[in-house]
């Protein structure tokens, strides 16, 4: 991969070089084996945390690197181009630190250094078995009982469910609708919190996803983030940032698939010439190269709005929609470029294709992104 990047500072350039070095050394050689064993690479996440790559967008006073979001997203793209499961883990963990960093009290934020440094791994518990896209209809309930909230319900599709050290739990403390939702920061060891068996997923086998059951789990009231009723606002704000993270993962995965397909097409000979020289294939690869550049530009334009403190929700939805749909097309066509070889696990493109699909679903399905964008158009 040879991507020309315009970076805001020399420090940002150094961070991307560090990310590339770690990705080549710690991620690329391990990806296939961990995916085959369905083993979560916890030590890899610790290594990234100790290198400062898990807290890039957060303040230095909390152990972060105070980097612009556009720099963080480019690091995420680099990681995704070597191993999507790790990049997604970084994105989910960064998302899991967001409620506390953005809405927590000074006392609560004392927890942030270990979270941002990667010693504590996070999970984000919003979706439920009967409610994914309709987050405002969640039914997990938290009832105040003295100095704690008693939480009952089930969360679904939780990344890091079986390996996280802390959970952001979105639950109902009031009446129906978004105004009745709050956010609690719960420790994994809390009695009554029980991660269930891992789901058998199509891809990202190294990334554990499971339901979490809450059976009268007592979470200290001091772990309420942002006050009662603030949960839905926190969740939607976090998802705007999370969508940019998933878009960056999609760009990285698409770039990896394109690079592999181009390299194969240069070497594969048919009818006395490299198959990349046939226009039917070469033009397809050219379209994908152009699409990846466009997705990257759309992603970084949204990130710069965020960095400037300007509204970016709609641009984040566009970036997530475009980049993840593109990743699905690029990875599918990469398998086609390799032909029969693309369908076997000896080459990574079949894994790329399986992994790309989930990016169209997480952090809000692409149908939800279209709904968000179309409603903004209707409002004018």
């Amino acid at each position: 991969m040879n991507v020309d990047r315009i970076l805001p500072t020399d420090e940002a350039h150094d961070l991307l070089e560090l990310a590339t070095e770690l990705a080549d050394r710690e991620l690329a050689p391990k990806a296939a084996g961990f995916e085959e064993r369905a083993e979560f690479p916890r030590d890899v996440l610790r290594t990234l945390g100790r290198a400062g790559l898990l807290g890039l967008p957060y303040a230095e006073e909390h152990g972060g690197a105070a980097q612009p979001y556009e720099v963080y997203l480019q690091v995420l793209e680099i990681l995704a181009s070597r191993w999507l499961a790790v990049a997604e883990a970084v994105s989910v963990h960064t998302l899991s630190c967001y409620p506390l960093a953005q809405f927590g009290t000074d006392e609560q934020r004392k927890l942030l250094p270990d979270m941002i440094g990667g010693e504590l791994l996070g999970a984000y518990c919003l979706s439920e078995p009967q409610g994914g896209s309709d987050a405002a209809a969640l039914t997990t309930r938290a009832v105040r009982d003295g100095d704690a909230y008693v939480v009952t319900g089930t969360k679904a599709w939780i990344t890091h469910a079986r390996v996280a050290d802390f959970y952001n739990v979105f639950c109902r403390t009031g009446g129906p609708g978004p105004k009745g939702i709050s956010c609690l920061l719960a420790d994994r060891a809390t009695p009554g919190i029980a991660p269930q068996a891992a789901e058998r997923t199509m891809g990202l086998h190294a990334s554990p996803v499971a339901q979490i059951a809450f059976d009268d789990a007592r979470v200290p009231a001091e772990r309420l983030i942002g006050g009662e009723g603030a949960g839905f606002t926190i969740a939607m704000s976090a998802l705007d940032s999370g969508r940019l993270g998933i878009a960056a993962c999609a760009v990285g995965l698409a770039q990896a698939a394109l690079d592999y397909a181009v390299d194969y097409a240069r070497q594969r000979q048919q009818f006395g010439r490299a198959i990349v020289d046939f226009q039917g294939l070469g033009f397809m690869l050219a379209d994908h190269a152009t699409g990846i550049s466009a997705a990257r530009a759309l992603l970084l334009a949204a990130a710069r709005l965020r960095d400037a403190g300007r509204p970016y929700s709609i641009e984040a939805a566009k970036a997530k929609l475009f980049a993840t749909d593109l990743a699905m097309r690029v990875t599918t066509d990469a398998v086609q470029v390799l032909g029969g070889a693309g369908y076997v696990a000896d080459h990574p493109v079949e894994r790329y294709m399986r992994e790309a699909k989930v990016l169209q679903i997480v952090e809000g399905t692409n149908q939800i992104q279209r709904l968000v964008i179309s409603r903004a158009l209707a409002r004018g």
Side-chain angles (χ1 to χ4, degrees), residues 143-217:
V143 178
R144 183 70 181 261
D145 180 28
D147 61 354
Y149 285 90
V150 179
V151 184
T152 304
T154 302
K155 293 296 181 178
W157 310 116
I158 307 305
T159 301
H160 301 163
R162 298 173 60 81
V163 295
D165 299 295
F166 66 92
Y167 303 114
N168 290 280
V169 185
F170 292 89
C171 45
R172 191 162 299 284
T173 55
K179 293 183 179 179
I181 296 172
S182 300
C183 178
L184 294 170
L185 183 65
D187 290 336
R188 176 184 64 179
T190 303
I193 297 181
Q196 305 299 294
E199 304 286 359
R200 297 172 61 195
T201 55
M202 177 188 295
L204 293 179
H205 295 158
S207 177
V209 175
Q211 292 189 358
I212 301 178
F214 295 84
D215 184 10
D216 291 339

Side-chain angles (χ1 to χ4, degrees), residues 202-335:
M202 177 188 295
L204 293 179
H205 295 158
S207 177
V209 175
Q211 292 189 358
I212 301 178
F214 295 84
D215 184 10
D216 291 339
R218 292 183 64 87
V219 179
E222 63 188 23
R223 291 294 189 88
L224 176 70
I225 307 297
E228 285 199 4
F232 191 76
T233 298
I234 294 172
M236 294 302 103
S237 177
L239 284 177
D240 285 339
S241 298
R243 285 166 181 165
L244 292 180
I246 295 302
C249 287
V251 172
L253 184 65
Q255 186 71 64
L258 177 66
D259 290 346
Y260 199 92
V262 168
D263 186 62
Y264 183 90
R266 287 171 177 164
Q267 298 179 48
R268 176 69 169 169
Q269 296 281 325
Q270 292 287 280
F271 305 104
R273 55 199 291 205
I275 63 173
V276 73
D277 293 330
F278 291 97
Q279 286 187 353
L281 192 149
F283 283 11
M284 178 182 71
L285 295 173
D287 286 344
H288 288 330
T290 304
I292 291 170
S293 293
R296 185 178 292 117
L298 187 60
L299 168 68
L300 294 180
R304 288 167 189 144
L305 288 175
R306 185 189 190 280
D307 288 333
R310 296 173 59 187
Y312 71 98
S313 296
I314 305 305
E315 299 310 309
K318 291 177 183 176
K320 196 272 183 183
L321 169 64
F322 186 82
T324 58
D325 278 356
L326 175 75
M328 193 72 249
R329 291 195 301 272
V330 175
T331 55
T332 301
D333 284 343
V335 172

